[in-house]
Structures are given as structure tokens and as C-alpha cells.
């Protein structure tokens, strides 16, 4: 392969397949046009350096933006990132402290316990922070790539022309239709708390017993840890969906039909996942069941019946909640802005 | 200082390149012949900008292209489409209007200084 072939290859390998051959042919003939019939290697090098960095040339051909998140969403991106980082770090801190308090028994040196706790907090914060950074960035890059959220909102970068009349829409937006930041923050905190509970379930959702040192100790986890944690990919997916939805709400700022349908899908996902996890027969820790038998003096069949009823009613509650939430979203999306403004 | 000037000058020239290229495509031309023509009239254009620009114009349906394989090496020729001719004429008028206005503005400036 000579220099020209190599150069053309370097450019075209960065291009989409569809246009690759055509550009290769054209570039080849253009380069040869620049040169005389019997060019020395020196001359070829000189001409190629005129064309410049192959990567840059390829970029000029594709014309794709060089940024992941453009100026229109960067502000939103930073605030969401800061906010969610702060929240999850708080949850990590709180769960770790509870964790330490409940595993505190007289034998351990308080200093080493403190060290252990701070070590855990730093480690978990790092893992959770990296996950969060990754997901939030992915979601925003996706929003950016899909050329912004096309909506008739007056958000910058939404593509539609802004006119002062849009201000009227903002003003006339009924309060019910608006999504306040505090609501979004509330939902995110709730998500973070649930996630914290899930991943530390064996220590936080358990039977607590008073120990010798005057503290409480979690002795018997209520759930079977292996079964519960086997659902982690599903849970991560749910958390990612929740964060993505929060970002979407944050950016558009009010209920739309589109948002209402996404909300409906998300509620469906939540109910389905909840149902699948809760209805697993081995979900409860056998040790917990026998402990309860001892405490209540009931037979295991009676106890299992009670648990079944609990599971069933929790699923029904989840379905009811999901239906109410979805319905509220649709209701809010359908509130007619213009009519309320003129009325 | 000179760096700022260079970047501002590039910015100033960038918008005119499209017009310069469109104006030369009344008859079919291939990439390198266009470079030479523009250079002869004093307009220097990076080849790494020009070739992608031609493709972009084609995508925007302002020019059409065809391969000529009759000569020793195949060449891709570009020529204005009828839509391209319209747009080119509009751009030309716009440029003449703008340069006239700017000239007035700049000369008026000089008049003030000598005042």
C-alpha cells in the first residue's frame, strides 16, 4: 500500500459504510489531480499535509457535532448531576451509618468501627457516583442526539422558533400542569431511598434484637438475600428509567401527552417487576419464617397463608398506585392551556 | 492578538465560501479544478473543507454530481441543480446588498474619524 492509499483508508474508515466507497474514489482522484504523473514521496507528503489530519477531514465529511452534550442542555445536565449525586451520597451515608449501628456489638473497638464505616462510605460513594455519572450522561447524550425534545415548549434548543407569545404559555400554564423541581427531587430521593433499602435489605429489613451492648443488632433478615439480589439487573434498569424520567420532566417542565405515556409505561414496568419479585416463593428467609412461628405460635401453613395475603395485597396496592399515578399524569397532560387562559 | 485576528478572519470568510463555490458551478467541475479556479481568483480554501462542502451541497440538493470515467482516472463532476441556481442567485443578491451596506458603514466610520 502506498501513502495515498493509506491516507484514503485512514479517512474512510471513520465514515459510514454507505458513503465510504464513493468518497474513497473521489478522494483518490482528487489527490492524484494534485500531483504530477511521477511524484516523489516528498511531493506526495507535501500534498497530503495540505489535506491535513485524516480524522479532521473525516469529521468534515460527516459533520457530526463534536460534543456529547450541547449548550442547550449543559445547564440542565450539571444541575441534575449535582443534585442526584448529593442525594445518593446522602442515602449512602445514612444507610452505612444505620448498617454500622446495627452491627455494633460490644466486642468491636469503636475507632476501628468508625474507620470501617468511613471506608465503606467512600467506597460505596465512588461506585454509586460512577454509576450515576454514567447513566445521567448517557441519557443527556441521547436527548442531544435525538436533536432535542421536540415539543411546543419554549425550552432552548427545542428547535422550534421562540416567540414572545411563548411567554404567555408559560404564564398561563396551570399550576397543576407544571412539574415543580421539588416534586422531581422528592421522587429522586424516594428512588434513592428504595434503592438503598433494596441493596442493603439483609441489614436494614430484618428482625432487630437488643444486644448486650445496649444497641440493636439485625439478626434475621426478612428476605432471602440470594433471591432478592438476583433481580439486580432489573432493579438497575428501573432506577435508570426513574432517573431518565426525572431528567425528562426537569427539561420540559410540564405534563405533556408524551410524558404521560412514558409515565404509563414506567408504571407498568414497575408493577410487573414488583409482581415478579414479590411473588417468588423463596423470597422470604426460612429462618425468618421459623422465627415468626416461634413468636406467634402458628403453624407454618397458617403463616405462609398470611404472607401470601400480604404479597397479594402489596401487588394490588402497587397496581392501584400505578393506575392512579398514570391517570393523574394523563389528566394533567390533557389540561387545556388555551381554554384556561381565556376563561 | 494575531491569533484573535486569524480566528475572526476565518469566521468572516466561512460564510462566503459557499457562495464562492456555488458561483463556479454553473458548468460541471470536479473537486481539484474548483480548488485551482478559486485559488487563481485569490480565494484560498482548505481542500479538507472544500470536498466535504461539495458533498453537503449535494445532500442539500443544490448541486448534482456525476462520475466521468471516460478519462484515465474517474472524476466526480458537480454542477448546480435548478434549485441550486435559484438559491445561488438569491445568495449573490444578498451578498451584494450586504457588502454595499458594510462599505457604507465602514466609509462612514472613516468620515467620522477625519471629522
Amino acid at each position: 500500500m502506498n501513502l495515498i492509499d493509506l491516507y484514503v483508508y485512514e479517512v474512510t474508515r471513520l465514515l459510514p459504510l454507505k458513503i465510504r466507497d464513493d468518497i474513497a474514489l473521489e478522494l483518490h482522484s482528487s489527490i492524484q489531480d494534485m500531483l504530477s504523473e511521477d511524484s516523489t514521496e516528498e511531493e506526495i507528503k507535501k500534498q497530503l499535509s495540505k489535506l491535513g489530519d485524516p480524522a479532521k477531514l473525516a469529521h468534515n465529511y460527516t459533520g457530526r457535532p463534536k460534543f456529547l452534550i450541547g449548550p442547550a442542555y449543559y445547564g440542565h445536565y450539571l444541575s441534575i448531576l449535582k443534585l442526584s449525586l448529593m442525594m445518593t451520597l446522602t442515602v449512602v451515608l445514612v444507610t452505612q451509618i444505620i448498617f454500622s449501628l446495627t452491627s455494633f456489638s460490644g466486642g468491636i473497638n469503636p475507632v476501628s468501627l468508625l474507620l470501617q464505616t468511613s471506608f465503606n462510605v467512600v467506597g460505596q460513594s465512588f461506585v454509586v457516583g460512577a454509576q450515576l455519572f454514567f447513566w445521567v450522561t448517557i441519557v443527556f447524550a441521547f436527548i442531544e442526539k435525538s436533536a432535542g425534545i421536540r415539543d411546543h415548549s419554549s425550552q432552548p434548543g427545542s428547535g422550534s422558533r421562540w416567540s414572545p407569545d411563548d411567554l404567555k404559555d408559560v404564564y398561563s400554564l396551570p399550576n397543576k400542569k407544571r412539574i415543580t423541581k421539588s416534586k422531581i427531587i422528592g421522587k429522586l430521593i424516594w428512588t434513592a431511598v428504595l434503592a438503598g433499602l433494596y441493596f442493603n435489605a439483609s441489614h436494614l429489613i430484618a428482625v432487630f434484637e437488643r444486644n448486650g451492648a445496649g444497641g440493636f443488632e439485625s439478626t434475621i433478615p426478612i428476605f432471602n438475600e440470594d433471591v432478592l439480589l438476583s433481580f439486580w439487573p432489573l432493579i438497575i434498569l428501573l432506577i435508570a428509567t426513574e432517573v431518565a424520567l426525572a431528567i425528562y420532566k426537569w427539561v420540559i417542565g410540564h405534563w405533556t401527552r408524551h410524558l404521560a405515556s412514558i409515565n404509563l409505561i414506567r408504571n407498568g414496568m414497575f408493577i410487573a417487576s414488583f409482581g415478579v419479585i414479590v411473588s417468588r416463593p423463596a423470597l422470604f428467609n426460612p429462618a425468618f419464617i421459623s422465627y415468626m412461628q416461634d413468636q406467634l405460635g402458628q403453624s407454618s401453613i397458617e403463616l405462609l397463608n398470611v404472607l401470601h395475603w400480604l404479597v397479594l395485597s402489596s401487588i394490588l396496592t402497587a397496581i392501584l398506585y400505578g393506575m392512579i399515578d398514570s391517570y393523574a399524569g394523563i389528566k394533567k397532560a390533557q389540561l387545556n392551556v388555551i381554554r384556561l387562559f381565556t376563561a | 492578538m494575531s491569533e484573535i485576528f486569524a480566528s475572526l478572519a476565518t469566521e468572516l470568510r466561512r460564510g462566503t465560501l459557499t457562495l464562492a463555490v456555488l458561483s463556479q458551478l454553473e458548468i460541471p467541475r470536479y473537486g481539484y479544478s474548483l480548488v485551482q479556479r478559486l485559488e487563481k481568483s485569490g480565494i484560498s480554501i482548505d481542500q479538507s473543507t472544500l470536498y466535504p462542502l461539495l458533498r453537503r451541497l449535494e445532500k442539500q440538493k443544490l448541486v448534482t454530481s456525476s462520475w466521468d470515467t471516460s478519462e484515465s482516472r474517474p472524476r466526480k463532476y458537480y454542477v448546480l441543480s435548478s434549485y441550486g441556481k435559484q438559491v445561488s442567485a438569491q445568495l449573490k443578491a444578498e451578498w451584494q446588498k450586504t457588502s454595499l451596506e458594510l462599505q457604507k458603514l465602514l466609509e462612514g466610520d472613516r468620515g467620522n474619524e477625519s471629522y
Side-chain angles (χ1 to χ4, degrees):
Chain A
M1 282 241 264
N2 62 32
L3 274 179
I4 300 175
D5 290 332
L6 286 172
Y7 184 86
V8 171
Y9 171 75
E10 275 296 295
V11 175
T12 51
R13 79 189 173 89
L14 299 170
L15 295 174
L17 266 179
K18 265 196 302 187
I19 54 173
R20 209 176 267 182
D21 288 344
D22 200 55
I23 286 181
L25 205 58
E26 189 184 8
L27 201 55
H28 226 285
S29 101
S30 295
I31 294 173
Q32 265 155 1
D33 279 334
M34 294 157 69
L35 301 162
S36 53
E37 281 301 311
D38 39 74
S39 297
T40 60
E41 200 176 305
E42 278 306 298
E43 284 170 308
I44 295 178
K45 278 187 180 167
K46 204 178 130 201
Q47 291 301 336
L48 289 183
S49 64
K50 254 193 200 169
L51 273 173
D53 187 345
K56 212 176 139 200
L57 181 54
H59 169 73
N60 284 347
Y61 271 118
T62 54
R64 289 198 194 113
K66 270 183 188 160
F67 48 77
L68 205 55
I69 297 160
Y73 296 109
Y74 192 65
H76 289 308
Y77 172 65
L78 277 189
S79 15
I80 289 270
L81 199 58
K82 275 188 217 155
L83 192 75
S84 41
L85 272 178
M86 258 167 15
M87 282 174 352
T88 38
L89 295 190
T90 315
V91 170
V92 166
L93 195 69
V94 171
T95 48
Q96 277 304 319
I97 287 173
I98 295 175
F99 180 89
S100 296
L101 286 180
T102 53
S103 58
F104 182 76
S105 55
I108 305 172
N109 179 356
V111 177
S112 76
L113 185 72
L114 195 68
L115 275 177
Q116 181 66 34
T117 306
S118 14
F119 186 73
N120 283 348
V121 166
V122 171
Q124 273 207 13
S125 303
F126 184 76
V127 172
V128 172
Q131 279 278 339
L132 203 68
F133 184 70
F134 175 76
W135 287 109
V136 171
T137 308
I138 290 271
V139 170
F140 269 95
F142 182 75
I143 294 178
E144 184 71 52
K145 282 285 170 293
S146 58
I149 297 161
R150 304 236 175 257
D151 208 276
H152 49 77
S153 71
S154 57
Q155 286 299 321
S158 63
S160 55
R161 267 243 192 101
W162 186 85
S163 90
D165 288 337
D166 291 348
L167 291 175
K168 229 160 50 180
D169 279 349
V170 177
Y171 174 73
S172 67
L173 218 54
N175 271 338
K176 274 189 180 169
K177 204 180 175 84
R178 271 196 199 147
I179 303 170
T180 56
K181 302 228 153 133
S182 58
K183 261 190 202 158
I184 300 174
I185 295 171
K187 280 230 165 178
L188 279 176
I189 292 178
W190 180 230
T191 309
V193 168
L194 284 183
L197 274 179
Y198 172 81
F199 284 107
N200 298 295
S202 57
H203 292 277
L204 298 182
I205 308 175
V207 175
F208 288 89
E209 277 183 341
R210 198 174 270 281
N211 64 14
F216 285 96
E217 198 174 355
S218 63
T219 47
I220 308 163
I222 292 178
F223 296 112
N224 188 336
E225 194 179 3
D226 290 338
V227 175
L228 192 64
L229 287 184
S230 67
F231 288 102
W232 71 266
L234 192 63
I235 298 295
I236 292 281
L237 183 74
L238 284 180
I239 295 172
T241 312
E242 202 58 39
V243 172
L245 189 68
I247 293 170
Y248 186 72
K249 281 180 178 172
W250 184 285
V251 172
I252 61 174
H254 61 94
W255 282 92
T256 63
R257 256 183 231 160
H258 195 58
L259 177 58
S261 39
I262 296 178
N263 192 48
L264 182 73
I265 294 170
R266 167 263 199 181
N267 280 331
M269 269 171 68
F270 178 77
I271 293 169
S273 318
F274 185 76
V276 167
I277 296 175
V278 185
S279 58
R280 283 300 292 261
L283 181 69
F284 290 99
N285 188 0
F288 168 69
I289 293 178
S290 52
Y291 170 83
M292 286 305 277
Q293 267 173 266
D294 291 348
Q295 292 289 311
L296 302 174
Q298 279 175 318
S299 72
S300 89
I301 295 172
E302 275 174 326
L303 197 66
L304 281 178
N305 259 336
V306 172
L307 284 179
H308 276 152
W309 273 108
L310 274 178
V311 165
L312 205 63
S313 52
S314 70
I315 291 177
L316 284 178
T317 313
I319 292 176
L320 198 66
Y321 168 80
M323 274 165 56
I324 292 173
D325 188 69
S326 305
Y327 178 73
I330 293 166
K331 233 6 213 190
K332 285 172 189 166
Q334 281 175 341
L335 277 179
N336 194 326
V337 177
I338 315 292
R339 209 176 48 211
L340 278 175
F341 186 64
T342 49
Chain B
M1 172 73 183
S2 63
E3 210 173 284
I4 294 173
F5 169 74
S7 92
L8 286 177
T10 314
E11 212 171 296
L12 197 59
R13 237 179 289 131
R14 191 179 297 143
T16 66
L17 277 182
T18 311
L19 179 57
V21 169
L22 286 178
S23 75
Q24 297 308 303
L25 289 178
E26 296 281 343
I27 56 166
R29 290 183 204 283
Y30 58 94
Y32 191 61
S33 72
L34 206 51
V35 174
Q36 284 176 312
R37 248 192 109 73
L38 290 174
E39 270 177 1
K40 219 175 271 174
S41 53
I43 295 175
S44 75
I45 176 168
D46 253 342
Q47 291 177 52
S48 62
T49 313
L50 179 70
Y51 301 143
L53 173 63
L54 285 171
R55 289 198 86 89
R56 204 147 46 239
L57 292 175
E58 187 183 4
K59 213 173 172 186
Q60 291 166 338
K61 302 210 167 18
L62 296 172
V63 303
T64 56
S65 72
S66 55
W67 279 98
D68 178 15
T69 47
S70 61
E71 280 181 61
S72 62
R73 73 169 145 267
R75 279 180 178 140
K76 199 176 187 184
Y77 279 81
Y78 294 89
V79 69
L80 283 183
S81 65
S82 61
Y83 174 55
K85 277 181 190 155
Q86 270 178 39
V87 172
S88 173
Q90 284 170 341
L91 266 183
K92 190 174 161 187
E94 185 65 31
W95 168 256
Q96 281 163 344
K97 191 170 147 256
T98 311
S99 68
L100 211 67
E101 287 162 354
L102 203 64
Q103 201 162 351
K104 264 193 229 156
L105 200 67
L106 295 176
E107 276 170 10
D109 213 337
R110 207 190 298 151
N112 276 348
E113 272 172 31
S114 65
Y115 212 78

